[in-house]
Amino acid sequence: NAGVMQNPRHLVRRRGQEARLRCSPMKGHSHVYWYRQLPEEGLKFMVYLQKENIIDESGMPKERFSAEFPKEGPSILRIQQVVRGDSAAYFCASSPVNLVSTSGVNTGELFFGEGSRLTVL
Amino acid sequence: QKEVEQDPGPLSVPEGAIVSLNCTYSNSAFQYFMWYRQYSRKGPELLMYTYSSGNKEDGRFTAQVDKSSKYISLFIRDSQPSDSATYLCAMSARQAGTALIFGKGTTLSVSS
């Protein structure tokens, strides 16, 4: 069972260009979360999506950032007109609708991908 | 005050030592507490999950939650070099379908 797949793993962009990061959740998972990790900072929540719906985008910058999770295909985090401050690792995580562990407890566990590292020159 | 505070370390210990990692938080609505481990250049992976107050043990790892003090801990017994990683605490107010709030992470190095 493949895990959460993110691509590209590394992306270099010049200021003003666009960055597109893709995330394919684990099989059977319909919830996707995007987090950003800046150097020396923790993981910061950006957006939570289900298929064709943005559920919570309270962590998304108001401008230049957008996310989607279409009915078919991966979730995409799009950053327009990138600036140097956008350089970070962007992690995608997924969870199923109802996750019950072997102990019968819903753990609400998030399964993370290996991240996409964006460098803005 | 930040919602979740975690000492970033780094923390260096010899193999076999007992390690204590801690987080404090300010939001009394948090009920679900997790510890994630992140190896360098990798994504975080869930280590421990605890609901409300109490202890949970899994092998060499013990998670403790003290909601009255808004304080959570992760203990690692008989630490191994393979435990060298960044440990992130995370918490949420709801069981699922909600954003986790993470601490900054504590970097641990275990020397052989």
Side-chain angles (χ1 to χ4, degrees):
Chain A
N1 189 14
V4 177
M5 304 300 292
Q6 289 189 248
N7 68 84
R9 292 292 309 278
H10 302 275
L11 183 63
V12 179
R13 285 288 178 266
R14 297 191 181 279
R15 280 179 296 169
Q17 291 184 319
E18 178 179 289
R20 283 191 182 219
L21 310 177
R22 288 175 290 277
C23 169
S24 295
M26 287 182 70
K27 186 177 180 180
H29 287 195
S30 58
H31 297 226
V32 165
Y33 304 76
W34 285 94
Y35 282 81
R36 177 165 61 177
Q37 189 173 43
L38 291 162
E40 309 304 322
E41 294 285 331
L43 285 160
K44 300 293 184 187
F45 167 74
M46 298 182 76
V47 62
Y48 161 41
L49 311 103
Q50 294 179 16
K51 288 280 188 182
E52 300 183 283
N53 271 318
I54 296 175
I55 306 302
D56 181 355
E57 57 182 346
S58 58
M60 286 278 271
K62 293 291 184 283
E63 298 176 348
R64 302 188 297 107
F65 285 73
S66 61
E68 63 176 6
F69 189 14
K71 187 176 179 181
E72 301 289 339
S75 175
I76 295 174
L77 180 67
R78 181 183 179 204
I79 311 172
Q80 295 177 291
Q81 298 172 358
V82 295
V83 300
R84 288 208 174 119
D86 297 332
S87 296
Y90 291 83
F91 288 94
C92 171
S94 73
S95 69
V97 175
N98 291 301
L99 175 62
V100 179
S101 73
T102 53
S103 63
V105 175
N106 188 323
T107 66
E109 178 178 356
L110 295 185
F111 293 84
F112 282 86
E114 299 215 323
S116 292
R117 282 160 180 80
L118 172 65
T119 301
V120 180
L121 301 177
Chain B
Q1 182 187 10
K2 292 191 175 182
E3 272 196 299
V4 179
E5 300 270 10
Q6 184 177 8
D7 186 340
L11 184 61
S12 295
V13 301
E15 184 175 356
I18 296 175
V19 176
S20 172
L21 305 168
N22 312 293
C23 287
T24 59
Y25 62 96
S26 58
N27 188 345
S28 58
F30 288 148
Q31 296 191 75
Y32 300 90
F33 304 93
M34 285 139 273
W35 287 93
Y36 279 80
R37 178 175 61 195
Q38 185 177 22
Y39 290 113
S40 181
R41 316 295 282 179
K42 298 290 187 182
E45 56 180 341
L46 183 66
L47 258 186
M48 299 286 283
Y49 172 95
T50 311
Y51 168 65
S52 193
S53 285
N55 294 358
K56 185 174 183 179
E57 188 173 321
D58 184 0
R60 296 184 295 110
F61 298 89
T62 300
Q64 288 186 352
V65 175
D66 182 349
K67 288 189 70 181
S68 62
S69 302
K70 297 191 180 68
Y71 186 87
I72 70 171
S73 301
L74 177 71
F75 296 95
I76 307 174
R77 291 183 299 280
D78 187 24
S79 56
Q80 303 294 310
S82 58
D83 295 329
S84 298
T86 297
Y87 291 81
L88 302 148
C89 63
M91 46 200 79
S92 69
R94 298 209 316 265
Q95 193 172 25
T98 187
L100 292 181
I101 308 301
F102 282 85
K104 285 189 176 183
T106 300
T107 300
L108 172 67
S109 176
V110 181
S111 56
S112 56

